[in-house]
Amino acid sequence: MTAYAIDPHALQDRIQKVLGAKARSVDVALGEVTAVVGADDYLAAAAALRDAPGAQFNQLMDLCGVDYSQYQDRVWQGPRFCVVLHLLSTTLNQRLRLKVFAPDDDAPRLPSVNDLWNAANWFEREAFDLYGIVFDGHPDLRRILTDYGFVGHPFRKDFPLSGHVEMQYDAAQRRVVYVPVSIEPREITPRIVREPGYGRAG
């Protein structure tokens, strides 16, 4: 059963017409439509998807970052960082996934869509905090989940599981300080204990 009130292939055709040359691809998979646009066309494409008569995606339901540096068991050939938006048209009862890749892996930057959908404010702050993606034009781009003094971006796949620093209370300074992580990285394998005769019909 599809989540759409209309046929996803009909929506695919409609989105292709709305985006025109701005669309790098518009695909249907598992009953859902995904459009990919380039970074240079991102703002114009987002505005068209919000305002065009056949689209009218008036609500941004979600925006998140993705780090493709390790993609399943394959070597990923494209840019490392992607931003994914989930859009909803309450007028036409249709949904769309919009993807855009940041062109620079070392300093990922994309325009902010906060002026189009103000729900993007906290979502973009979260993508900045966790992935280090900078959104140009955001009115208040700062960390939202980690502390202001936090080092790095914890959802990047090269970020160590134990982090870089930890907080401790320093009695001499009478304040909380950051110190290098003292935890030794290790992998824990669960120990399975079974009674004799486990699994045999008795």
Side-chain angles (χ1 to χ4, degrees):
M1 180 176 168
T2 180
Y4 295 102
I6 63 167
D7 173 35
H9 294 285
L11 178 60
Q12 177 188 25
D13 294 340
R14 189 182 300 173
I15 296 305
Q16 187 67 66
K17 288 175 185 171
V18 168
L19 293 179
K22 297 182 194 70
R24 293 193 173 174
S25 65
V26 181
D27 299 313
V28 176
L30 303 175
E32 298 179 350
V33 180
T34 301
V36 179
V37 298
D40 292 340
D41 296 319
Y42 176 42
L43 268 185
L49 290 170
R50 186 192 66 176
D51 299 332
Q56 299 180 40
F57 291 101
N58 57 331
Q59 284 195 13
L60 171 68
M61 304 304 293
D62 184 34
L63 180 151
C64 64
V66 180
D67 179 355
Y68 277 90
S69 61
Q70 299 169 24
Y71 183 68
Q72 298 178 351
D73 296 328
R74 305 191 301 268
V75 176
W76 178 253
Q77 298 296 330
R80 176 178 177 181
F81 294 103
C82 178
V83 169
V84 182
L85 294 78
H86 291 98
L87 305 174
L88 169 68
S89 169
T90 57
T91 308
L92 301 177
N93 191 24
Q94 59 191 18
R95 294 175 184 268
L96 175 71
R97 179 183 297 110
L98 177 65
K99 296 175 73 173
V100 57
F101 286 87
D104 186 349
D105 291 350
D106 295 325
R109 303 183 80 92
L110 289 167
S112 172
V113 293
N114 188 67
D115 289 341
L116 297 174
W117 299 285
N118 58 14
N121 191 318
W122 281 23
F123 290 138
E124 289 179 344
R125 284 181 59 189
E126 182 180 63
F128 163 69
D129 190 1
L130 300 179
Y131 292 94
I133 301 169
V134 173
F135 293 91
D136 293 323
H138 189 284
D140 186 22
L141 194 62
R142 56 192 164 98
R143 292 189 182 270
I144 191 170
L145 294 175
T146 61
D147 188 67
Y148 297 131
F150 192 87
V151 176
H153 304 283
F155 276 17
R156 290 189 175 191
K157 291 184 178 174
D158 53 6
F159 189 83
L161 292 177
S162 57
H164 296 290
V165 295
E166 63 188 27
M167 290 190 305
Q168 293 180 354
Y169 180 74
D170 188 308
Q173 298 182 52
R174 300 178 65 183
R175 66 182 182 90
V176 172
V177 296
Y178 285 94
V179 296
V181 171
S182 58
I183 301 169
E184 288 291 327
R186 62 182 183 185
E187 222 172 279
I188 299 175
T189 305
R191 184 170 165 241
I192 299 171
V193 179
R194 294 201 193 334
E195 297 175 2
Y198 176 85
R200 286 187 297 200

